[in-house]
Amino acid sequence: MAGRRMSLRDGEWLSCEQVRVVGPLTGVTAPMIRETLIALHRQHPNHPSVCRMDREARRWVPVSTAEYAYLMDSDVSVLVWPEPGTAESVAVAAARAAVEQRTGERTGIEPHEVATAETLREALTSRGLGDRPLRVLVCGEFVGIRMSHAIGDARVFNTLVAEIFGAGAAGRPPRLAFPRPTRLPLARASLRFFGRDPRRVVTLLKTPRPVLEEPPADEPRRAWQPDVSATYIRSEPGTLSALRTWRDTHQPGVSAAAVLFAAARAAFEECGLQPGDPGMMILVDARRYLPKGATVDGNFAPAQYVIPSDTLDPRAIHEVMSATIAAGRPLSSLALRDLYALRARFSPTSPPAQVRVKPSPQLTITHIGRLDGYYSELPWACPPEYRMMLSAPTPGGPEAVTVTFAEMDGELHLNVTFHRSTFEEKAMRRIGELICADPVALVEAHRPR
């Protein structure tokens, strides 16, 4: 089967992958997920999530029902952790037994649950996909998925993951995230936005497009290779509500995301990891330019490099993002990315083999929104305040650090993804702890007086 060609945008994401781990859940097993994916393949055999990936030709290649069922034996598996008979195994078993025997309400997230979730995430980040679009691992009450970014952006990823994990548990057939995606979404969005008011084209042309400058080539460097790692922190109950209360009083009209972005930048500086550039990369979902109800099954959230007048001031971040969106820059970025992707196919670049001896974080910050609608129906094994959701998107380069914010059940789930071959894990975890402990205090300490 020849398959179908990936779009230029989706093909550009082949080098990046997304990892998600959720739990603790009840009754989500590897056989159940295998059957869910086989059912999805039976209903939609040409969907990217159930095809093979021809990376060189950048094509989705369908497989037969028999071959797909065979592939599921390796694509969906159980992670045995800890190894039976080890001291760690005994300790974890004792911790689980203590939880089962305990009466009354839980008092917090159990340490053995954190260890299980983080082990699962590490196992997924260390396993390549090859020609497969996704792989799933189950460990205890946690389930994780590694998916090629070529399938889609965070909107697609969140919807698809929740469906794969939840359909089998609910005893129903799986549904596609976007069964009828909009055709030619970029052209439609551009015509709708710029066609309604042609003056917006002039505004776009006049809006400065800052460029992330490369570090000086003569700086000392050392050998480097990718080694993706991540750290996960969950805020205490009430953190987000306190942030919004403070925002309403001191920064009315500013988005909660802008407050979190400012807190993230402040945390890096407090930990002695001053970002090496004056701005930050922020992902923007360009679906906002489409009519209500229109969908995009793929990548439609370009990264926007913005330089606020003050990266520690939520209002400055909010204003520069509002101006970027109002000018339609995300749409022009998608068009430019298509052009770059076309050029890159004929002039491929080699992956970096060196990093600066004194690296500085290149920040990409994203707020993927409130995920209750995606994950609320999963068979959770604990109350909302103890649910965990770990993520690990591939960082964009040796010095890239991705800070991902998500809200679920009214609380903040923070993931910091980086290369441990570049930065120390302890420092990155400290940054996450500072942000989640009190983002308002970080902003207050640095905001203009």
Side-chain angles (χ1 to χ4, degrees), residues 64-89:
S64 67
T65 302
E67 182 182 1
Y68 190 76
Y70 170 77
L71 290 171
M72 285 302 95
D73 286 338
S74 58
D75 285 0
V76 181
S77 55
V78 175
L79 176 68
V80 179
W81 181 89
E83 292 294 330
T86 62
E88 195 173 45
S89 176

Side-chain angles (χ1 to χ4, degrees), residues 143-393:
V143 58
I145 186 169
R146 179 171 181 168
M147 189 182 87
S148 172
H149 213 311
I151 294 178
D153 52 28
R155 179 74 68 89
V156 177
F157 184 56
N158 286 322
T159 309
L160 192 59
V161 169
E163 188 64 20
I164 291 172
F165 291 170
R172 60 170 176 77
R175 299 183 293 261
L176 281 183
F178 304 113
R180 293 183 180 179
T182 301
R183 294 190 62 193
L184 303 174
L186 179 55
R188 289 172 182 262
S190 298
L191 285 172
R192 182 172 184 269
F193 181 73
F194 294 110
R196 284 183 171 184
D197 187 352
R199 290 173 299 180
R200 289 171 174 169
V201 176
V202 178
T203 302
L204 175 65
L205 295 174
K206 290 183 176 180
T207 302
R209 181 179 291 276
V211 178
L212 179 62
E213 297 183 3
E214 292 294 326
D218 58 352
E219 287 195 36
R221 296 175 182 266
R222 60 175 173 82
W224 179 86
Q225 60 181 6
D227 188 7
V228 178
S229 186
T231 187
Y232 166 76
I233 307 291
R234 188 189 187 285
S235 69
E236 292 297 321
T239 301
L240 271 176
S241 59
L243 181 149
R244 288 192 164 93
T245 299
W246 176 88
R247 183 272 315 271
D248 292 343
T249 302
H250 299 280
Q251 299 266 324
V254 169
S255 68
V259 180
L260 291 170
F261 292 177
R265 182 85 182 203
F268 274 86
E269 296 193 7
E270 288 217 358
C271 290
L273 284 172
Q274 174 75 37
D277 54 83
M280 59 184 72
M281 201 74 74
I282 297 177
L283 299 181
V284 178
D285 191 345
R287 292 171 179 83
R288 69 182 68 233
Y289 298 104
L290 288 167
K292 185 177 181 180
T295 62
V296 179
D297 191 357
N299 287 281
F300 211 62
Q304 302 293 296
Y305 182 66
V306 297
I307 302 179
S309 58
D310 184 349
T311 55
L312 301 176
D313 179 14
R315 186 166 298 281
I317 295 174
H318 179 86
E319 288 176 350
V320 74
M321 282 307 305
S322 296
T324 296
I325 292 169
R329 257 187 59 194
L331 294 173
S332 64
S333 295
L334 286 171
L336 288 172
R337 189 175 182 89
D338 282 356
L339 293 175
Y340 293 150
L342 188 62
R343 184 181 66 181
R345 293 199 64 183
F346 299 100
S347 303
T349 57
S350 302
Q354 292 185 321
V355 67
R356 290 185 294 174
V357 173
K358 295 182 178 180
S360 297
Q362 293 179 344
L363 289 186
T364 294
I365 309 180
T366 179
H367 190 293
I368 59 177
R370 301 181 183 182
L371 302 185
D372 306 71
Y374 295 104
Y375 296 96
S376 60
E377 299 304 316
L378 293 183
W380 295 99
C382 63
E385 60 268 26
Y386 305 124
R387 297 169 183 175
M388 301 170 63
M389 187 187 66
L390 290 69
S391 300

